[in-house]
Amino acid sequence: MASPLLRSRSAALRTLGLQTRQQSLCANWPRTRTLFNFFRRSAKPAKEEPVPLLTEDNLFHPFSKSPFPAIRARGEAIQSLAKCPVCTSDHCSTNAHTKSQSLAVKFECPDCGFPTHCSQEHWMADQEHKKYCSRLREVNEDDHDLRSGRKFRELQMPGPQAYEEAISFANWDVFWYTRGFPSMDTERSRRHASKILTYPLTIGSILHQNSGLTLSNQRVTPEGSRSLAALRTTLHVPPGAPDTEEAGAAKPQMRIFILGARAESSLPPHVWEQLCMLFPSCHFHLFFIGPQVSLPRPANSPPPKPPSESTTKEDNITNQSAAENASSTPTSIDTTKEREGDKPVYVPNVYEPPTPAPIARLKRTRSSVELYGIPSYTVPYTPQLTITGLQANYAEVHAQFQDTFDPYTDAFFLFSPGFGFPSPNSVSELDGKPYLQIASPTEWGPVVPALLATRCAIYVTGFSPADVERDIRSIETAPDVAGEFEWVITPGENAFGSEKWEVADFDPRVMVKTNWGVWGIRGKGREVRERSSFSLF
């Protein structure tokens, strides 16, 4: 007779065998019902990241040997526009060319890749070139990196900000950290991210209650403090209240008028949505107004043709934003090179930047021609953000807005307007010299006085210290502007300007940064004092 210990052991083994057999049977059964699996969509395979065409250690290429047609075309444009700095120097008569010789730059610097001199001898003789050669190489590598095909993690935009998390506007680093952006591990990532975010962040850093522009650092004047306080009553909720989307249900819409818009009008809407993330309870309506505003493709137009295989390997990154060194060049020329049809590979950035290419037509994009009478569109992108673009001079549409302006809900932004540059279209009848753009009847002449009459704040940026000074000198002498404004923000550096250098095609030595500086004004107030009826005088 078996002992109780053996009986319990055999029972345990039988139980274990039964469980093992059941588990093997269950493993062969389908995990879901077959009937409903028939209607289930198959899971999409995960997209593999594209293999970059250029690696991090292979970004430098001379312009003439670049694998990308747009960069090669830009090199040809520089060669046709720029002059050799050694040939044109007055103090170097030994290197002067004869009249039959060309002054154009044909020699590419082996260190930066830009066409910089007419010959290798003049390149070796130029002792000033080393001062800006490293910057030119930086621009060269950045342009190739934008087209390299890698995944740009630095351009991944974060979502809404948590209620208990404050945002700091001290500088780019602190903002990216407090806002939850991906880590900017390299200086190149910083330059790419700052270039695309400088427009919405310049607006947000000025208007936000945590702005680094304050009375204590003398960047905001007492009049400016009152003007910003009026805007912030619309942008923010009362102290202690939750700054959420629901809190702004009864608040009026905040209108931002961006005049003379160019590259900023072609930014993807999700970049401008970052402005809404800074003000969760505010509803924004952005107006891009200017003759160079980028409009959506027509609704009935066919989609753009996919590039050929050879072109895809060379140019698989989308168009680059137009440079903002626009106003600092003398003339404009036509397209230098074309690919197929009439589409230019590169349009030189000479007197003014080219009009950006048509933007993508979103699902809710609608035409606004019947409303404004000019080429225009409106996109209700999100419940918090509406974008309207009007391709016309602001003077043509001011009458439609002039009775609706309110200093509590409206503000004007002018990104590098070029007030102090000579007008390419208007000439004085007295001396035959071109007007400054601030006084030109076809440019800013009738616009700025109309803006001052609204009493709304006007914020202006410049691409260099000289550009800021030039614009300020021009408004201090312009008719109907001089003496008719008061300062809101004193001139100074913009903490959220682009960190990427923009090189002029007409002279590679000229380099600027988009939105380097910022200042602001508004129309001067007129105090009215009632005279006593008992006064003799």
Side-chain angles (χ1 to χ4, degrees):
M1 188 174 185
S3 64
L5 180 61
L6 292 176
R7 288 198 301 270
S8 63
R9 182 180 179 183
S10 60
L13 290 173
R14 287 194 302 270
T15 305
L16 180 60
L18 179 62
Q19 293 176 351
T20 304
R21 186 167 63 255
Q22 292 176 346
Q23 290 176 359
S24 63
L25 290 174
C26 291
N28 296 327
W29 291 347
R31 295 184 180 274
T32 54
R33 289 173 288 186
T34 307
L35 176 62
F36 294 97
N37 278 345
F38 179 76
F39 300 100
R40 174 175 291 185
R41 294 181 179 178
S42 58
K44 294 182 179 180
K47 291 184 179 180
E48 296 182 0
E49 292 189 11
V51 179
L53 302 177
L54 300 177
T55 58
E56 186 69 23
D57 58 352
N58 189 33
L59 294 177
F60 174 74
H61 296 272
F63 275 30
S64 62
K65 299 178 181 179
S66 171
F68 305 113
I71 296 181
R72 295 198 300 269
R74 186 184 185 188
E76 296 173 3
I78 294 175
Q79 291 183 16
S80 64
L81 294 170
K83 304 299 180 182
C84 176
V86 176
C87 300
T88 56
S89 59
D90 297 332
H91 64 277
C92 190
S93 58
T94 59
N95 289 323
H97 281 285
T98 62
K99 293 182 179 180
S100 61
Q101 292 177 308
S102 173
L103 299 174
V105 294
K106 298 297 182 182
F107 178 78
E108 290 180 335
C109 171
D111 297 325
C112 66
F114 270 77
T116 56
H117 296 80
C118 65
S119 64
Q120 184 176 3
E121 291 76 13
H122 281 194
W123 171 74
M124 296 178 64
D126 188 3
Q127 299 299 320
E128 298 293 321
H129 177 68
K130 60 184 178 182
K131 295 181 180 180
Y132 52 89
C133 184
S134 59
R135 292 181 182 177
L136 292 176
R137 184 185 180 98
E138 179 182 291
V139 173
N140 184 324
E141 294 181 352
D142 286 352
D143 287 349
H144 282 90
D145 183 54
L146 286 173
R147 297 169 171 83
S148 65
R150 71 175 178 89
K151 186 175 181 179
F152 290 88
R153 291 180 173 83
E154 61 267 32
L155 301 184
Q156 294 177 354
M157 305 296 166
Q161 189 82 354
Y163 167 64
E164 66 277 4
E165 296 177 356
I167 303 175
S168 174
F169 292 91
N171 51 51
W172 278 117
D173 290 318
V174 181
F175 170 78
W176 283 326
Y177 176 75
T178 56
R179 184 65 185 89
F181 273 80
S183 177
M184 304 294 171
D185 298 327
T186 64
E187 291 296 321
R188 182 169 292 112
S189 297
R190 292 173 53 90
R191 293 192 291 269
H192 291 333
S194 65
K195 174 62 185 295
I196 197 171
L197 289 169
T198 180
Y199 295 107
L201 260 296
T202 295
I203 297 175
S205 64
I206 292 174
L207 302 181
H208 202 277
Q209 62 185 2
N210 297 337
S211 173
L213 308 176
T214 62
L215 282 169
S216 60
N217 60 17
Q218 298 182 351
R219 288 302 306 275
V220 176
T221 64
E223 294 79 10
S225 180
R226 291 192 290 268
S227 180
L228 287 170
L231 292 171
R232 288 166 183 168
T233 58
T234 303
L235 293 167
H236 297 283
V237 296
D243 199 359
T244 60
E245 186 177 352
E246 292 76 12
K251 292 169 62 175
Q253 193 177 55
M254 182 74 187
R255 299 190 302 179
I256 304 294
F257 293 86
I258 302 174
L259 309 187
R262 296 183 294 261
E264 54 269 32
S265 66
S266 63
L267 285 179
H270 74 271
V271 176
W272 284 107
E273 190 181 10
Q274 291 298 308
L275 179 62
C276 301
M277 303 295 183
L278 308 178
F279 307 93
S281 63
C282 188
H283 301 267
F284 283 93
H285 193 162
L286 304 182
F287 289 87
F288 298 114
I289 306 176
Q292 291 183 300
V293 167
S294 184
L295 298 177
R297 288 188 293 269
N300 55 356
S301 64
K305 296 181 180 180
S308 61
E309 293 182 1
S310 59
T311 306
T312 303
K313 293 180 180 179
E314 294 180 341
D315 230 355
N316 67 334
I317 296 299
T318 54
N319 57 342
Q320 184 184 6
S321 298
E324 286 301 315
N325 57 350
S327 306
S328 59
T329 53
T331 54
S332 63
I333 66 172
D334 295 333
T335 310
T336 59
K337 187 177 181 181
E338 298 183 357
R339 185 184 296 165
E340 294 180 359
D342 297 331
K343 183 179 179 181
V345 175
Y346 178 77
V347 178
N349 204 7
V350 190
Y351 188 83
E352 59 184 12
T355 300
I359 59 178
R361 190 175 189 87
L362 302 180
K363 183 178 181 180
R364 293 181 293 272
T365 301
R366 62 178 184 267
S367 175
S368 299
V369 176
E370 296 180 358
L371 180 61
Y372 300 107
I374 56 175
S376 56
Y377 74 96
T378 298
V379 179
Y381 185 67
T382 66
Q384 281 186 274
L385 177 63
T386 301
I387 298 176
T388 296
L390 294 84
Q391 197 177 68
N393 193 302
Y394 176 76
E396 301 176 29
V397 298
H398 174 72
Q400 302 185 45
F401 297 102
Q402 63 180 351
D403 296 330
T404 65
F405 288 116
D406 185 351
Y408 282 78
T409 59
D410 301 322
F412 298 98
F413 281 84
L414 286 68
F415 294 109
S416 301
F419 288 155
F421 282 98
S423 170
N425 304 318
S426 303
V427 179
S428 173
E429 297 179 355
L430 299 177
D431 53 9
K433 295 181 179 180
Y435 285 112
L436 295 181
Q437 293 191 26
I438 187 65
S440 170
T442 60
E443 286 152 306
W444 295 109
V447 173
V448 177
L451 301 184
L452 295 176
T454 66
R455 293 281 290 156
C456 296
I458 307 167
Y459 302 100
V460 187
T461 69
F463 51 70
S464 67
D467 184 50
V468 172
E469 181 180 0
R470 185 188 303 113
D471 287 351
I472 292 174
R473 289 183 181 275
S474 68
I475 67 170
E476 290 177 344
T477 58
D480 300 326
V481 177
E484 298 296 326
F485 65 89
E486 54 192 14
W487 289 101
V488 174
I489 294 179
T490 57
E493 188 172 358
N494 177 19
F496 291 92
S498 172
E499 295 186 354
K500 183 179 184 299
W501 288 105
E502 308 291 348
V503 180
D505 292 341
F506 68 93
D507 189 348
R509 296 174 297 175
V510 177
M511 287 174 275
V512 297
K513 290 184 176 181
T514 305
N515 299 335
W516 175 88
V518 65
W519 48 278
I521 58 176
R522 70 173 183 179
K524 180 175 290 187
R526 308 294 182 184
E527 295 185 1
V528 178
R529 185 178 61 181
E530 184 179 357
R531 178 178 296 181
S532 173
S533 59
F534 298 100
S535 175
L536 298 177
F537 302 98

